[in-house]
């Protein structure tokens, strides 16, 4: 019944080598790459060698002595995990002497281990129990009465401080697997072995409880533990799962693959799938443990409608809600024209669901008023990379970082925002790769265990373009250009113009030092390292894109990579770290108002004709409204209806008060979500959404990897999100008919050249594919882009003139605010705030440098008011030298914080991506919440009361009652 829990464990990691060796194991000839351990070679031959300290995700350790083997011509009994295979070896894994030795080793282990197997939480999934059986242990000759760690006063207290797993030291066999997982897999080094000899035990930090240590709760130690020492609390409570399904995490853009381990329709635990290409068996606290939101009591599972946002919600049937929404949209268009409504797709929903929403807008609404959350995060990536390289996505796989010699991180905080990839990156840095960080804040990866940036270019917010021009100036003027690469692969005219521009004295590090605040010598040294240090890879995040010159900076990064020849092979590239699980997919699926699926412009008559033929309807050739345009038009009275699937624009978009004003100006807002989020509080129709555990489909991660999402439980509200969109489209008079999301993907593939070879069957067979995936690529698509040439043909250099942001410090607003994320929370927090992750981070706080705090009389934990030209809010202060003087920082995970009340309408010149990262503010001590926070508290309380009052009117349909209420 529990065999599904036991995947093949090869004992030691796979080795790569051009040389092979052939040896004999138990009479069988085996050929393996040079460097392969005897243990792994045996497993390749179908022979399992007993083991406890060995596992194939960790380097061999050789401490348990269970894996002893005999090798002809050698004395003793070498450990098969630490002994490399050699040509001509003759190895025996079983003999009377080996059996006797292994049984003796197991006796020693069991003599200091509680014999509570039947009631132990690991019963059925315990390697110690398995090995006792394998070695034939039938008695413990040493008895159980001597000194031990599991009886009476000698038994340590169980550490239950972590909300997700327990630590029972009495069951620890000191195999070191958890310690090694924390070091090798996660890279946090939070665990160690304390004590000596018999007193040796695993210690978080300095013999601290887990929650007081540096543990980041990634779960690597829990996964590595062969006993019940480290155990998920859900397993302790529910018992071992009885089946599993592979699915994809619904948090960040890394796209980790997980086994959802189940009992019936209930998730027992989420275990990182070691065959997942994005994560290779690793996870973070969010994906591994913070999935409980899917069954949280706040889930809304019944459709609701109301005439005004001051009215109580009315619970209705699906058909009533859908028909009411369709009727309102038709009424608004009949009165105000077809362009008076629009839709917003979700970066948390599947590709198939996002595709249907943009299709509904274009085919059923009859306009191109569709946008997505990428507007406020990575829209400059799409613009900048398409202009320079010809495609709107990152160039590499995550695994590519293992071949990087120099890593340049710009405006990204991977340990908090993309922690699983950060662990892979830190491993490469520990192996010798060199690190450059460009960030206004001292993020963790600048200096962490066994990792330190060679250069931290701590620039002033808003000066990214000045910095990239300075780096390029050094490359050009010091003769560090990749001349042959440029001549072969790049446009000559644009290169000459760019070279002349960046070589100007005004772009030198010395000239720009006054702008960026970074010493010129550091900029020069960093540029030399990037250009000459071998394979150089750039990883960037929202600290690049969320600026007034976000698109300019993306193009500047692309220029630098081309100029040094760092595009088109493993270990290099330009790699945007995408924030949400399917923000790449949302863009791919045509969620922008000017582009159809596959990034093809709506004005292209040939492309449009393909979709018109397939969809059976004439399409508008004019681009529609972007999200900020929708808000402005709503305030002006010309945009009055919105279908918003799975996005919380009230909390996530800038200038919250302007967004709220826009929503209150609309006549019908339809929100499709799993919770009553901040946007839903302004809605007139609420359509219950489904979590990632309740649907089938695909997500596309930041490396263009398309992975399956599999339904592990029925939708709580009865319908998956794609089924709701189909119903709404049909009610609007545009027929859609799909049996399964695989049918939707088939339509996507037929209409999108880069997806032409994508099918559910192929993903089922191989685990994932990467677009472009079509007749011109390998079967599994394209691992890294621009291998033999750029998608656009010749790479195009674009001049990136630095223009100072309008958000400047003044006497009234003397500080610059920048924003970001934290490890334990995700985006607007709607998911993670409904989990125990709140134990790490239960509020947004303002980080401020000690000098700025002292000048203002601010101490740690003081309440401070943060005011900008857009508004004011109040947070508690964290005084820290992470910040540079003159710069403050906060997160945006909690709606009551009002972080986006402060951010302004300043945005990227090309895409309208908001300038979240630069807001001029003043910070002063205060004694009470801001006026906005008081108003929000009243509004929030009212809306929750209206939700509690939701009811089905007696004697008439709810839709009739709503109309009557008008």
């Amino acid at each position: 019944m529990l065999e599904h829990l036991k995947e093949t464990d090869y004992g030691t990691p796979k080795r790569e080598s051009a040389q092979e060796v052939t040896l004999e194991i138990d009479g069988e000839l085996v050929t393996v790459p040079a460097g392969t351990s005897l243990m792994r070679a045996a497993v390749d031959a179908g022979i399992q060698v007993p083991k406890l300290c060995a596992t194939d995700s960790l380097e061999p350790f050789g401490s348990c002595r269970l894996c002893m083997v005999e090798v002809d011509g050698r004395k003793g009994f070498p450990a098969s995990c630490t002994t490399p295979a050699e040509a001509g070896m003759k190895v025996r894994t079983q003999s009377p002497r080996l059996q006797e030795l292994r049984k003796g080793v197991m006796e020693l282990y069991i003599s200091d281990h509680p014999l509570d197997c039947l009631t132990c939480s690991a019963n059925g999934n315990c390697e110690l129990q398995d090995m006792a059986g394998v070695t034939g242990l039938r008695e413990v000759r040493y008895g159980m009465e001597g000194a031990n760690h599991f009886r009476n006063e000698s038994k340590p207290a169980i550490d239950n401080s972590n909300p997700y797993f327990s630590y029972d030291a009495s069951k620890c066999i000191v195999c070191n697997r958890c310690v090694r997982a924390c070091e090798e897999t996660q890279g946090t080094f939070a665990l160690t072995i304390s004590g000596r000899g018999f007193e040796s035990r695993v210690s978080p930090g300095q013999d601290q409880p887990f929650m007081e240590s540096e543990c980041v709760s990634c779960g690597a130690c829990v996964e590595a533990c062969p006993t019940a020492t480290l155990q998920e609390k859900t397993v302790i409570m529910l018992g071992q799962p009885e089946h599993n399904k592979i699915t994809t995490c619904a948090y960040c853009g890394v796209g980790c693959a997980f086994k959802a381990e189940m009992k019936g329709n209930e998730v027992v635990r989420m275990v990182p799938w070691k065959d997942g290409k994005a994560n290779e068996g690793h996870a973070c606290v969010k994906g591994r443990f913070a999935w409980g939101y899917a069954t949280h009591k706040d889930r809304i599972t019944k459709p609701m409608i109301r005439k005004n946002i001051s009215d109580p919600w009315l619970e209705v049937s699906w058909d009533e809600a859908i028909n009411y929404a369709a009727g309102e949209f038709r009424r608004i268009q009949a009165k105000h024209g077809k362009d008076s409504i629009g839709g917003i797709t979700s970066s948390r929903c599947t590709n198939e669901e996002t595709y249907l929403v943009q299709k509904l807008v274009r085919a059923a609404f009859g306009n191109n008023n569709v946008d997505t959350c990428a507007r406020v995060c990575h829209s400059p990536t799409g613009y900048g990379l398409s202009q320079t390289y010809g495609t709107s996505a990152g160039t590499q796989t995550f695994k590519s970082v293992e071949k990087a010699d120099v890593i340049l991180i710009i405006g990204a905080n991977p340990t908090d925002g993309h922690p699983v990839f950060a662990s892979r990156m830190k491993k490469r840095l520990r192996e010798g790769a060199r690190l450059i960080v460009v960030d206004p804040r001292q993020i963790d990866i600048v200096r962490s265990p066994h990792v330190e940036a060679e250069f931290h270019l701590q620039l002033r917010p808003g000066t990214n373009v000045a910095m990239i021009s300075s780096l390029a100036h050094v490359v050009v003027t010091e003769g560090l250009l990749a001349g042959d690469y440029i001549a072969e692969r790049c446009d000559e005219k644009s290169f000459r113009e760019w070279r002349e521009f960046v070589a100007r004295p005004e772009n030198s590090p010395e000239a720009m030092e006054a702008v960026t605040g970074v010493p010129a010598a550091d900029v020069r040294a960093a540029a030399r390292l990037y250009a000459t240090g071998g394979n150089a890879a750039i990883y960037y995040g929202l600290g690049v894109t969320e600026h007034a010159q976000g698109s300019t900076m993306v193009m500047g990064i692309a220029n630098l990579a081309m100029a040094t020849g760092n595009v088109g092979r493993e270990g290099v590239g330009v790699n945007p770290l995408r924030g949400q699980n399917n923000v790449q997919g949302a863009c791919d699926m045509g969620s922008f108002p000017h582009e159809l699926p596959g990034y093809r412009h709506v004005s292209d008559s040939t492309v449009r004709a393909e979709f018109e033929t397939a969809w059976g309807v004439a399409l508008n050739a004019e681009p529609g409204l972007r999200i900020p345009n929708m808000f402005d038009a709503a305030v002006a009275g010309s945009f009055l209806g919105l279908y918003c699937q799975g996005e919380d624009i009230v909390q996530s978009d800038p200038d919250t008060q302007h967004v709220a004003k826009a929503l209150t100006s609309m006549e019908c807002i339809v929100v499709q979500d799993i919770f009553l989020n901040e946007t839903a509080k302004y809605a007139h129709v609420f359509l219950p959404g489904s979590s990632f555990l309740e649907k089938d489909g695909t997500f596309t991660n930041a490396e263009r990897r398309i992975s399956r999402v599999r339904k592990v439980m029925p939708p709580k509200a009865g319908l998956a999100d794609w089924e709701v969109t189909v119903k709404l489209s049909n009610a609007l008079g545009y027929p859609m008919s799909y049996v399964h999301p695989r049918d939707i993907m088939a339509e996507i593939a037929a209409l999108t050249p880069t997806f032409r070879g994508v099918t559910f069957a192929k993903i089922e067979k191989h685990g994932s594919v990467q677009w472009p995936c079509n007749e011109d690529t390998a079967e599994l698509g394209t691992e890294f882009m621009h291998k033999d040439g750029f998608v656009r043909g010749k790479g195009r250099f674009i001049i990136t003139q630095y223009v100072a942001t309008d958000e400047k410090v003044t006497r009234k607003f003397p500080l610059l605010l920048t924003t970001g994320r934290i490890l334990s929370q995700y985006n607007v927090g709607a998911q993670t705030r409904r989990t125990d992750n709140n134990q790490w981070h239960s509020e947004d706080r303002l980080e401020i440098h000690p000098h700025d705090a002292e000048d203002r009389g601010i101490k740690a934990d003081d309440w401070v008011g943060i005011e900008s030209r857009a508004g004011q809010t109040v947070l508690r202060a964290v005084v820290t030298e992470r910040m540079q003087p003159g710069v403050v920082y906060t997160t945006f995970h909690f709606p009551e914080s009002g972080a986006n009340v402060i951010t302004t309408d300043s945005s990227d010149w090309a895409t309208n991506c908001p300038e979240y990262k630069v807001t001029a503010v003043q910070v002063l001590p205060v004694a009470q919440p801001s006026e906005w926070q008081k108003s929000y508290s009243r509004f929030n309380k009212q809306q929750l009361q209206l939700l509690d009052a939701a009811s089905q009117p007696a004697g008439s349909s709810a839709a009739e009652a709503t109309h009557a209420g008008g």
Side-chain angles (χ1 to χ4, degrees):
M1 183 177 182
L2 301 180
E3 284 305 306
H4 70 96
L5 297 175
K6 298 175 181 177
E7 294 182 338
T8 298
D9 187 335
Y10 291 83
T12 62
K14 184 179 181 180
R15 301 303 184 199
E16 303 286 346
S17 176
Q19 181 184 353
E20 292 186 331
V21 297
T22 300
L23 66 158
E24 183 182 299
I25 302 179
D26 291 347
E28 297 287 333
L29 288 178
V30 187
T31 301
V32 295
T36 300
S37 69
L38 289 180
M39 177 180 285
R40 187 171 185 111
V43 179
D44 282 345
I47 301 164
Q48 290 289 338
V49 181
K51 64 185 186 301
L52 278 173
C53 73
T55 185
D56 56 17
S57 63
L58 303 172
E59 291 300 318
F61 195 62
S63 70
C64 75
R65 310 310 298 172
L66 270 186
C67 71
M68 297 176 285
V69 294
E70 295 174 341
V71 180
D72 280 3
R74 295 198 182 183
K75 294 181 179 180
F77 304 91
S80 62
C81 65
T82 57
T83 304
E86 296 176 12
M89 269 185 169
K90 291 189 175 183
V91 181
R92 284 180 298 282
T93 68
Q94 186 64 35
S95 71
R97 182 62 177 145
L98 287 171
Q99 180 75 9
E100 181 184 4
L101 289 170
R102 289 169 180 160
K103 188 183 295 186
V105 169
M106 280 305 301
E107 273 192 276
L108 290 170
Y109 276 118
I110 298 303
S111 69
D112 189 23
H113 197 84
L115 299 181
D116 59 350
C117 293
L118 292 180
T119 56
C120 177
S121 60
N123 188 16
N125 188 28
C126 174
E127 293 179 45
L128 186 69
Q129 190 179 61
D130 292 343
M131 291 305 103
V134 166
T135 59
L137 184 66
R138 297 293 175 261
E139 62 176 340
V140 178
R141 291 169 296 172
Y142 311 109
M144 308 294 288
E145 303 304 321
N148 60 63
H149 295 93
F150 61 88
R151 269 187 213 279
N152 305 323
E153 67 278 354
S154 63
K155 180 179 179 180
I158 296 174
D159 178 2
N160 279 311
S161 62
N162 189 287
Y164 295 121
F165 61 84
S166 68
Y167 170 48
D168 184 351
S170 72
K171 297 184 177 180
C172 180
I173 61 172
V174 201
C175 65
N176 259 278
R177 274 166 56 167
C178 59
V179 177
R180 289 149 55 210
C182 191
E183 295 175 358
E184 297 177 28
T185 305
Q186 170 56 29
T188 297
F189 293 79
L191 303 180
T192 188
I193 301 294
S194 67
R196 286 179 155 192
F198 185 71
E199 298 306 322
S200 299
R201 280 297 173 267
V202 172
S203 164
Q206 300 298 310
D207 289 315
Q208 300 164 289
F210 264 89
M211 283 297 279
E212 295 177 16
S213 74
E214 293 179 339
C215 170
V216 294
S217 296
C218 68
C221 60
V222 179
E223 184 62 16
C225 181
T227 68
T229 305
L230 290 159
Q231 184 69 279
E232 297 97 333
K233 290 183 176 179
T234 50
V235 173
I236 294 172
M237 179 174 63
L238 298 171
Q240 295 294 339
E242 44 84 17
H243 72 277
N244 68 65
K245 282 190 179 181
I246 307 296
T247 192
T248 305
C249 181
Y251 280 115
C252 79
V254 174
C256 295
F258 278 88
K259 289 194 302 179
E261 297 194 341
M262 315 284 297
K263 294 184 81 167
N265 292 330
E266 187 171 17
V267 177
V268 175
R269 65 180 174 188
M270 298 289 285
V271 177
W273 187 39
K274 67 181 185 179
D275 289 336
K277 298 295 193 300
N279 59 317
E280 296 185 342
H282 191 35
C284 78
V285 63
K286 295 186 286 288
R288 183 70 156 89
F289 296 116
W291 39 265
Y293 70 88
T295 53
H296 194 273
K297 62 181 179 61
D298 288 350
R299 281 287 300 269
I300 299 175
T301 58
K302 294 182 179 178
M304 305 185 298
I305 60 176
R306 60 181 176 180
K307 183 65 176 175
N308 303 298
I309 66 168
S310 57
D311 296 337
W313 285 103
L314 304 174
E315 292 179 354
V316 296
S317 69
W318 272 110
D319 286 345
E320 283 182 288
I322 293 290
N323 290 333
Y324 178 72
E328 285 294 282
F329 285 148
R330 285 196 299 264
R331 175 187 65 78
I332 292 169
Q333 285 187 304
K335 184 176 180 180
H336 300 281
K338 69 176 183 179
D339 293 329
S340 58
I341 63 174
I344 296 176
T345 72
S346 176
S347 292
R348 293 196 294 274
C349 288
T350 64
N351 287 316
E352 295 74 15
E353 290 163 342
T354 301
Y355 173 84
L356 290 190
V357 172
Q358 65 83 32
K359 181 179 179 179
L360 177 147
V361 171
R362 302 186 199 280
F365 287 0
N367 61 48
N368 289 311
N369 293 339
V370 63
D371 212 347
T372 189
C373 90
R375 173 67 52 211
V376 300
C377 62
H378 269 287
S379 52
T381 287
Y383 181 85
L385 293 184
S386 65
Q387 292 294 309
T388 49
Y389 296 168
T391 189
S392 300
T395 61
Q396 311 296 120
T397 64
F398 290 134
K399 192 174 181 64
S400 171
V401 77
E402 296 173 9
K403 301 291 179 66
D405 301 305
V406 178
I407 296 170
L408 172 55
I409 300 173
I410 310 178
N413 186 5
T415 57
D416 281 22
H418 304 84
V420 172
F421 173 66
S423 292
R424 195 192 290 256
M425 180 185 283
K426 288 189 291 184
K427 184 174 183 178
R428 178 61 189 142
L429 291 168
R430 293 195 302 274
E431 291 169 348
R434 301 163 79 181
L435 175 64
I436 305 166
V437 175
V438 181
D439 200 286
R441 183 168 169 260
Q442 186 173 312
I443 57 175
D444 284 347
I445 205 166
V446 169
R447 187 175 291 107
S448 60
H450 303 281
V451 168
E452 185 167 1
E454 204 151 323
F455 299 100
H456 177 204
L457 308 182
Q458 196 167 9
L459 77 178
R460 294 190 183 105
T463 64
N464 284 344
V465 174
M467 175 59 69
I468 206 73
S469 295
S470 295
L471 292 167
H473 176 92
V474 177
V475 171
V476 168
T477 59
E478 296 190 5
L480 305 179
L481 289 163
D484 292 344
Y485 180 96
I486 294 167
E488 179 186 349
R489 301 190 48 168
C490 300
D491 175 69
E492 182 183 359
K493 181 175 182 291
S494 67
F495 167 67
R496 281 191 279 106
E497 292 172 349
W498 173 82
R499 181 181 59 189
E500 186 277 328
F501 164 75
V502 296
R504 294 173 187 170
E506 58 264 33
N507 287 319
S508 70
E510 289 75 16
M512 287 298 188
E513 182 173 334
V515 175
T516 65
V518 179
D522 288 350
V523 176
R524 284 192 176 274
R528 292 168 189 146
L529 174 58
Y530 175 78
T532 65
N535 286 341
I538 297 175
Y539 296 90
Y540 73 87
L542 303 184
V544 162
T545 58
E546 291 177 345
H547 286 271
Q549 283 197 287
S551 293
T552 309
M553 181 59 179
V554 172
M555 293 186 290
I557 288 171
N559 291 340
L560 184 65
M562 284 192 292
T564 54
N566 279 306
V567 183
R569 63 183 185 278
E570 277 198 291
V572 299
V574 174
N575 305 282
L577 296 177
R578 298 281 187 161
Q580 297 200 59
N581 56 297
N582 200 39
V583 66
Q584 179 68 59
C587 299
D588 300 341
M589 293 299 103
S591 293
F592 289 133
H594 66 292
E595 288 177 334
L596 289 158
Y599 303 99
R600 290 171 296 162
H601 206 280
V602 294
S603 64
D604 187 322
S605 58
T606 303
V607 170
R608 207 168 57 252
E610 289 181 37
F611 284 88
E612 288 175 337
T613 300
W615 293 353
V617 64
L619 298 178
N620 194 330
E622 291 297 318
L625 298 176
R626 297 170 174 178
I627 290 174
N629 306 138
M630 294 180 189
F631 296 155
D632 293 342
V635 173
S638 61
F639 187 85
L640 298 168
L642 179 67
Y643 173 34
C644 181
Q645 183 188 77
E647 288 297 336
D648 193 353
I649 51 178
V650 171
Q651 190 178 338
S652 65
D653 284 41
D655 197 353
T656 300
Q657 294 175 93
H658 178 64
V659 176
K661 184 178 180 181
L663 296 191
T664 54
S665 301
M666 296 186 200
E667 295 181 4
C668 181
I669 297 173
V670 178
V671 168
Q672 186 173 331
D673 217 300
I674 60 178
F675 301 114
L676 190 79
N677 61 23
E678 301 309 302
T679 303
K681 293 167 186 174
Y682 291 87
H684 307 90
V685 180
F686 186 92
L687 304 176
S690 51
S691 75
F692 79 111
L693 296 171
E694 301 158 44
K695 62 178 70 171
D696 283 297
T698 58
F699 291 155
T700 305
N701 74 351
E703 51 176 1
R704 297 167 284 102
R705 186 177 303 283
I706 307 164
S707 302
R708 280 281 277 117
V709 182
R710 292 177 176 85
K711 183 168 68 175
V712 303
M713 61 176 68
K716 297 290 183 185
L719 297 175
D721 288 310
W722 68 271
E723 295 173 300
V724 177
T725 303
V726 167
K727 279 183 171 288
L728 179 58
S729 184
N730 289 335
L732 286 163
Y734 178 75
M736 289 187 187
S737 178
Y738 304 95
V739 175
H740 187 273
R742 73 171 64 90
D743 306 327
I744 307 171
M745 178 53 77
E747 181 175 311
I748 294 167
L751 290 169
T752 310
T754 50
F755 275 64
R756 198 87 75 198
V758 179
T759 65
F760 272 40
K762 184 181 288 188
I763 298 172
E764 292 286 352
K765 179 179 179 181
H766 298 287
S768 63
V769 299
Q770 288 176 274
W771 71 259
C773 181
N774 52 34
E775 61 278 3
D776 297 325
T777 71
E779 183 181 9
L780 301 187
T782 307
E783 286 194 337
F784 56 92
M785 299 287 287
H786 318 298
K787 180 179 181 181
D788 300 313
F790 290 97
V791 170
R792 70 178 306 277
K794 296 286 187 178
R796 178 186 177 202
F797 286 85
I798 296 178
I799 290 173
T800 54
Q801 178 70 53
Y802 168 66
V803 178
T805 174
D806 291 337
E807 275 295 303
K808 296 179 174 67
V809 294
T810 63
R811 184 175 298 177
K812 184 176 181 181
F813 302 120
L815 304 174
L816 289 177
L817 169 74
T818 188
T819 62
R821 300 182 180 186
I822 199 163
L823 171 64
S824 59
Q825 297 290 347
Y826 171 71
N827 202 262
V828 297
Q831 294 151 273
T832 44
R833 282 187 282 110
R834 291 175 170 89
T835 71
D836 283 323
N837 279 25
N838 281 351
Q839 292 192 29
W840 285 278
H841 190 78
S842 59
E843 61 181 318
D844 293 316
R845 291 195 173 204
L846 185 83
E847 293 186 7
I848 186 170
H849 189 273
H851 292 172
D852 294 323
E854 185 178 2
D855 287 347
R856 291 161 175 78
I858 296 169
K859 297 181 178 62
D861 294 331
D862 281 357
W863 290 102
V864 294
I866 310 103
E867 184 178 5
S868 73
R869 61 184 172 88
Q872 183 187 32
T873 193
V874 172
L875 301 172
R876 285 201 290 168
V878 175
V879 180
T880 173
E881 291 188 350
R882 277 182 182 270
M883 307 309 301
Q884 57 180 292
V887 180
V888 293
Y889 168 89
T890 192
T891 53
F892 58 98
H893 304 301
F894 293 81
E896 63 272 18
S897 299
N900 281 323
V901 172
I902 314 165
T903 52
T904 69
D905 58 0
S906 180
S907 65
D908 174 52
W909 62 272
T911 66
N912 284 132
C913 182
E915 190 169 37
Y916 293 108
K917 304 305 182 191
V918 189
T919 304
V921 298
Q922 177 60 289
V923 177
L924 293 170
V926 297
Q928 60 181 343
S930 70
E931 289 304 313
W932 177 87
Q933 286 171 314
K934 293 175 184 176
S935 173
Y936 169 79
S937 179
R938 291 190 295 270
F939 177 73
N940 182 57
K941 182 179 179 181
Q942 176 199 38
Q943 289 301 315
L944 294 179
Q945 289 173 341
L946 295 174
L947 176 63
D948 290 340
S951 61
Q952 170 67 50
S956 65
S957 78
E960 289 171 351
T962 302
H963 282 298

